[in-house]
Amino acid sequence: MILAPADRIADYRAKGWWGDVRMTDLFDAHVRIRGDAMALVDPPNTQAIVGRLPQSLTWTQLADAVERLMAVLTDYGVGKDDVVLVQLPNIAELTMAYLACFKLGVIVTPAPVQYRENELEGIVRRTGAKAAITAARIGGQDHAGALVGLPALGPVFSLGAAPGALDLAVLMAEASPSARKAAREAAEAARVTADDIATICWTSGTEAEPKGVPRSHNEWLIMAEGVVGAAGLADGARLLNPFPMVNMAGISTALAGWLLVGGTLVQHQPFDLATMLGQIRDHAIDYTVAPPAVLNLLLQDPKLLEGIDFSRLRSIGSGSAPLSEGMIRTFHDRYGVEIVNYFGSNEGMSLCGTAKDIPDPRDRGAFFPRVGAPGHDWAYPLNGRFFSRLVDPNTAQEITAAGQPGEMRIKGPTVFSGYWRAPELTARAFDAEGWFRTGDLFEIAGDHDQFYRFVGRLKDIVIRGGVNISSEEVEGHLVAHPDILEAAVVGAPDARLGERLCAFVVAKAGAPPTREAINAFLINERKVAVFKQIERLEIATALPRNPLGKVLKRQLRESLSEASPVQS
């Protein structure tokens, strides 16, 4: 299925920005050339996560597993343009699922492992998912059971036996030569192109429900080119991925980027610092990513970094919060490591500060290059292919002077073509000239107006550990609580995660509900993801409003301080 307009495809192909190479073409080439080399390594705690021992697979072994999974899907009638919901942690089967589906022309819609029935039902309803791939239990939660019970969903393939689900490991082991041949023939007949949709990822904004973001092979590979170039990754690089491989951060690096360099992908989940450091040592990692707070912590105790081969680990990606000048400088001076500062989104935002473009650590921690703005040139690989501008959100006039906040709007081959089956949302997301409205506020900075500085958001979201959470969605769940009259959700600042979910609640008559009672209601009654639980509760007699009745969330945010205790 191709979503991008024909004129957009023709334009980008004529400019050499998009081409005919699919992610599966890269995979097949690595299997031919690097067959016996290590391709994929499970997290060491895989047994605790899904109940099987960790695996390490060569490219040839991975290709065999992918073909077996293709045979299973084909045998159960899953084919070109069907949607398969995949809910798995960062284990080998997640990579297998992507590759098997891509070869068949099946669209993967990945779901974070924290999603429960509420979010999963919405994905199935909006995509018409024909099947699902998950595990019987992930970290103690009954994931197969949550999917088996969803209406309109077809077969659920599960790692491990589960009532109502099909045991995927058994089916793959039993895949016959004739079934595998039929799968290869189905893949050939599908005639998948680089412009076909490969994935539908999910992002939260001001809407109550997450929005589906389709991306083609071409749209993924150009994002990966930016990651590989910014990190300075060579062919065969060893990557350690602690990001869930379900959205931009994980897929652009640990799937598309990994396929570009043909190296070894070492997976990690859930985040555990000691485990991650052990993997860096044991696997001679060339590149990884970590939030700013973790990088700051590592420098406070140099013993944590003992034994790491810094002749290989030469760059680390970070972002989601301002980076410390001292942290960037110390990693460079003490270990020879360059910290890359990223700002991205599922829709295709791609700002990146590297040592080549911003050598001053103080500037790199706070600013991003004005990539795509006239009069500026950069080493960043997407320079000349990613375009940006700032627009006054009230007047729609373009901002060209420093110090004036404006909404970032973007264009180019990294930007998605529109939300999944949501023409109204798509129409609102792009302006009359075709620029995507990011909802992010930046201002021009630097002694030559060469930088952008992030100053806030137009959209009403909370970014917790890099995950966007719709305030409206959580507020809708809260006001369904029998003891809550009104609710407003904002982000409380947090040094480690950036923000945590804070709810200002006006209670009905009687004693206000506790935070524990509210979270029990969210999980047990509303069945929402765990990361949408309230982490700080403020009881209010009324919510501040403007003359038109709109809640003044800026006042609520200003009343918070990071040092204040969580109240319940």
Side-chain angles (χ1 to χ4, degrees), residues 325-339:
E325 172 190 355
M327 180 268 288
I328 296 175
R329 190 181 302 279
T330 303
F331 263 106
H332 174 270
D333 294 348
R334 186 183 298 169
Y335 302 107
V337 173
E338 297 292 358
I339 304 298

Side-chain angles (χ1 to χ4, degrees), residues 182-480:
R184 293 194 298 271
E185 292 172 348
E188 185 175 350
R191 300 180 182 274
V192 180
T193 75
D195 298 309
D196 274 295
I197 297 172
T199 62
I200 304 170
C201 297
W202 298 91
T203 191
S204 292
T206 55
E207 290 74 27
E209 281 194 315
K211 302 183 293 292
V213 180
R215 295 191 75 84
S216 69
H217 293 256
N218 270 323
E219 288 166 330
W220 275 122
L221 287 175
I222 194 167
M223 294 299 297
E225 286 180 37
V227 171
V228 169
L233 300 181
D235 286 350
R238 303 173 73 89
L239 313 178
L240 173 60
N241 174 47
F243 282 162
M245 207 165 70
V246 298
N247 54 25
M248 178 58 71
I251 298 175
S252 63
T253 300
L255 185 62
W258 164 69
L259 290 171
L260 280 179
V261 301
T264 303
L265 174 60
V266 180
Q267 292 282 33
H268 179 99
Q269 193 177 358
F271 183 81
D272 179 82
L273 182 57
T275 301
M276 182 176 178
L277 293 172
Q279 289 176 293
I280 293 174
R281 294 186 188 95
D282 295 343
H283 297 283
I285 296 299
D286 295 300
Y287 176 74
T288 189
V289 292
V294 170
L295 297 179
N296 294 336
L297 175 66
L298 291 175
L299 295 182
Q300 294 172 20
D301 187 358
K303 291 182 179 179
L304 294 173
L305 297 173
E306 290 179 354
I308 291 178
D309 183 359
F310 285 108
S311 68
R312 295 199 60 146
L313 182 63
R314 304 310 300 270
S315 62
I316 298 174
S318 194
S320 78
L323 308 186
S324 159
E325 172 190 355
M327 180 268 288
I328 296 175
R329 190 181 302 279
T330 303
F331 263 106
H332 174 270
D333 294 348
R334 186 183 298 169
Y335 302 107
V337 173
E338 297 292 358
I339 304 298
V340 183
N341 191 6
Y342 290 107
F343 192 103
S345 72
N346 281 321
E347 288 90 346
M349 169 71 92
S350 184
L351 296 179
C352 178
T354 66
K356 287 183 178 179
D357 283 331
I358 312 181
D360 187 324
R362 177 180 56 186
D363 288 343
R364 199 185 327 152
F367 302 137
F368 297 94
R370 283 184 70 193
V371 176
H376 299 282
D377 194 26
W378 304 96
Y380 181 44
L382 298 185
N383 185 59
R385 295 184 284 178
F386 175 85
F387 306 95
S388 62
R389 63 193 297 210
L390 297 187
V391 173
D392 187 302
N394 297 314
T395 67
Q397 296 297 309
E398 183 170 1
I399 295 171
T400 57
Q404 182 180 349
E407 182 187 23
M408 173 76 71
R409 297 191 181 179
I410 58 175
K411 257 188 181 182
T414 68
V415 181
F416 78 133
S417 297
Y419 292 111
W420 178 256
R421 294 180 179 173
E424 300 85 1
L425 290 178
T426 298
R428 294 202 301 268
F430 292 86
D431 67 20
E433 298 176 17
W435 294 82
F436 175 66
R437 308 172 189 264
T438 66
D440 298 309
L441 293 174
F442 286 81
E443 65 181 17
I444 296 169
D447 52 0
H448 299 293
D449 292 348
Q450 73 272 38
F451 298 137
Y452 287 128
R453 184 176 75 88
F454 177 71
V455 296
R457 294 186 299 272
L458 282 174
K459 297 179 178 180
D460 190 10
I461 60 175
V462 176
I463 302 182
R464 183 190 188 278
V467 177
N468 289 359
I469 304 171
S470 167
S471 295
E472 181 181 332
E473 178 194 356
V474 179
E475 288 162 358
H477 293 304
L478 291 176
V479 296

Side-chain angles (χ1 to χ4, degrees), residues 474-489 503-522 526 534 537-540 543:
V474 179
E475 288 162 358
H477 293 304
L478 291 176
V479 296
H481 190 286
D483 297 326
I484 294 177
L485 179 64
E486 292 183 298
V489 172
F504 286 80
V505 166
V506 178
K508 294 179 180 178
T514 65
R515 185 168 61 92
E516 290 76 12
I518 290 174
N519 286 334
F521 172 79
L522 291 174
R526 306 298 288 184
I534 302 305
L537 177 63
E538 299 285 340
I539 302 299
L543 298 178

Side-chain angles (χ1 to χ4, degrees), residues 536 538 559-567:
R536 175 169 174 171
E538 299 285 340
S559 71
L560 300 173
S561 70
E562 189 175 337
S564 299
V566 171
Q567 301 177 17

Side-chain angles (χ1 to χ4, degrees), residues 40-65:
L40 188 61
V41 179
D42 267 333
N45 54 336
T46 301
Q47 176 84 52
I49 301 172
V50 295
R52 71 153 176 77
L53 294 174
Q55 304 178 48
S56 297
L57 302 175
T58 66
W59 288 97
T60 299
Q61 291 169 332
L62 180 57
D64 178 76

